[in-house]
Amino acid sequence: MRRLPARRPTIRDIARRAGVSESAVSFALNGRPGVSAATRERVRRVAEQLGWQPSTAARALSGEGSATVGLVLARPARTLGVESFFLRLVSGVQEALAPRRLGLLFQVVEDVTAECAVHRRWWAEHRVDGLLVVDPRDADPRPALLAELGLPAVVIGAMDDPPWEARPPDAPLSNLWADDAAAMASVVDHLHALGHQHLVHVAGLPGLAHTRRRIASLRREADRRGLPDVHSVTTDYSDAQGAEATRRLLSAPSPPTAIVYDNDVMAVAGLSVAAQHGLSVPTDLSIVAWDDSILCRSTHPPLTALTRDTDAFGRRAAEELVALLDGGPPRRCRDTTPRLVARGSTGVVRGG
């Protein structure tokens, strides 16, 4: 015989077991006056025995919370299916939220203006208790909006000092970041030690703070070493634009001897384009990927990459948000700097 799903316990069940009215149960469970301390304790004990949990919809309507946190991603949707970073980040986030029985509400939008509209709607509808915010930007409007709404939030990625310092001191806004500038410096160190003079950085979306920070670090490190043929080009992070950028670079009169890509899928696309041009990696061209993944380790040759525990990064971000929801103070936390792992895609410059 097919078993019916177990019925969830209700306030009526608790009232019947505790021998009190349904209104008394509601008062007791919601911390409202009108019942004695002994009745309140008896009701809570019975609720625990029955495995009763408050309805998240009811909690939202009463203004007590939604048991949900939100994440809005303002990036081209077509780039998400092939990029592992956000999948691993969300995996880490969920790992931290699950023990607290917090859900994750996720939405993809076209731009940051649409993201701000979603934040306002979620706040007005009591849809989320807090937010995870990614991809800090130049002239980013989101920190001020979040402070205005009073929604606890964690910005993932380095915020520039002006927007951080301009936030109200009591705003429940934390920041978790890794040092992109130091990571880029380690890449330039590695390639310069191999004799590379002509480097190109195939970057991600222009306007993102970490894109600007990586470009500035590359330029600074190149100037420090007297390397004149170093520059960056921006893309949308997709394999298509990564491949197109690589074709242009390799077809130039003076092609680079090393290319640094801002994610794994562009680096793999670049490796394929190099093969189409009859180039051997790393003999003719060295390749470095930002954010290591199974893709980087599965190519031939395997790709030199900046690696970090992205799942742990997401877990720490969610833990910071949970701390804010529990009434903790806002914090600015520096995470581990991505570490360069040298593999077969980088080598000494031919003739160097």
Side-chain angles (χ1 to χ4, degrees):
M1 179 181 292
R2 178 172 167 267
R3 296 181 60 185
L4 296 175
R7 184 175 66 84
R8 294 175 179 171
T10 66
I11 285 181
R12 178 175 297 178
D13 297 327
I14 299 170
R16 187 180 300 114
R17 175 78 67 88
V20 298
S21 68
E22 291 179 33
S23 60
V25 172
S26 178
F27 290 160
L29 294 178
N30 289 297
R32 295 165 58 190
V35 295
S36 67
T39 298
R40 191 183 309 278
E41 178 59 28
R42 183 166 75 256
V43 167
R44 289 179 175 175
R45 186 168 59 252
V46 169
E48 183 176 355
Q49 291 169 353
L50 293 176
W52 178 85
Q53 292 292 331
S55 161
T56 55
R59 291 182 66 215
L61 288 172
S62 67
E64 294 178 12
S66 64
T68 303
V69 301
L71 170 61
V72 182
L73 189 58
R75 283 199 183 188
R78 66 182 180 279
T79 68
L80 300 182
V82 293
E83 190 173 3
S84 64
F85 173 81
F86 281 107
L87 294 177
R88 293 174 58 197
L89 184 78
V90 169
S91 175
V93 166
Q94 189 59 45
E95 186 178 338
L97 296 181
R100 294 291 297 265
R101 299 183 181 178
L102 290 169
L104 179 65
L105 183 58
F106 178 70
Q107 187 164 338
V108 179
V109 296
E110 285 300 312
D111 54 39
V112 74
T113 300
E115 179 179 345
C116 288
V118 171
H119 290 167
R120 285 190 179 278
R121 185 174 72 251
W122 283 355
W123 169 80
E125 296 174 353
H126 301 280
R127 296 287 299 278
V128 297
D129 295 327
L131 291 166
L132 295 167
V133 179
V134 297
D135 291 339
R137 298 164 184 266
D138 296 335
D140 199 324
R142 294 172 297 175
L145 171 62
L146 296 172
E148 173 194 334
L149 299 178
L151 265 176
V154 174
V155 177
I156 303 172
M159 294 174 61
D160 290 334
D161 289 337
W164 173 259
E165 294 168 356
R167 82 199 192 289
D170 59 345
L173 183 67
S174 289
N175 182 212
L176 178 69
W177 62 284
D179 194 341
D180 288 291
M184 179 60 85
S186 71
V187 173
V188 179
D189 277 339
H190 174 67
L191 294 174
H192 183 254
L194 294 173
H196 292 277
Q197 302 282 315
H198 188 178
L199 321 178
V200 175
H201 169 214
V202 177
L205 290 165
L208 298 186
H210 69 253
T211 300
R212 176 173 44 76
R213 195 170 288 109
R214 293 174 190 181
I215 290 172
S217 178
L218 176 72
R219 185 68 264 163
R220 186 166 55 249
E221 295 300 320
D223 290 345
R224 189 163 67 85
R225 293 169 175 81
L227 305 178
D229 293 328
V230 175
H231 68 279
S232 301
V233 295
T234 57
T235 69
D236 67 355
Y237 284 109
S238 69
D239 56 333
Q241 288 202 10
E244 179 56 32
T246 306
R247 290 188 193 97
R248 291 197 307 269
L249 293 171
L250 298 183
S251 299
S254 179
T257 62
I259 303 178
V260 182
Y261 295 88
D262 256 3
N263 68 7
D264 53 349
V265 295
M266 291 198 298
V268 172
L271 180 64
S272 176
V273 171
Q276 294 167 15
H277 279 68
L279 300 178
S280 173
V281 174
T283 305
D284 302 310
L285 176 70
S286 284
I287 290 177
V288 178
W290 206 290
D291 284 325
D292 196 10
S293 72
I294 187 64
L295 283 177
C296 297
R297 299 187 293 275
S298 301
T299 59
H300 180 74
L303 297 177
T304 294
L306 284 161
T307 186
R308 64 177 165 191
D309 189 339
T310 305
D311 297 74
F313 191 48
R315 187 166 60 249
R316 292 185 193 109
E319 288 168 351
E320 289 295 327
L321 181 55
V322 168
L324 286 176
L325 296 176
D326 287 342
R331 305 198 310 160
R332 200 175 195 184
C333 308
R334 178 174 172 174
D335 199 64
T336 306
T337 302
R339 175 177 57 89
L340 188 71
V341 175
R343 300 194 181 101
S345 68
T346 51
V348 176
V349 174
R350 175 181 285 183

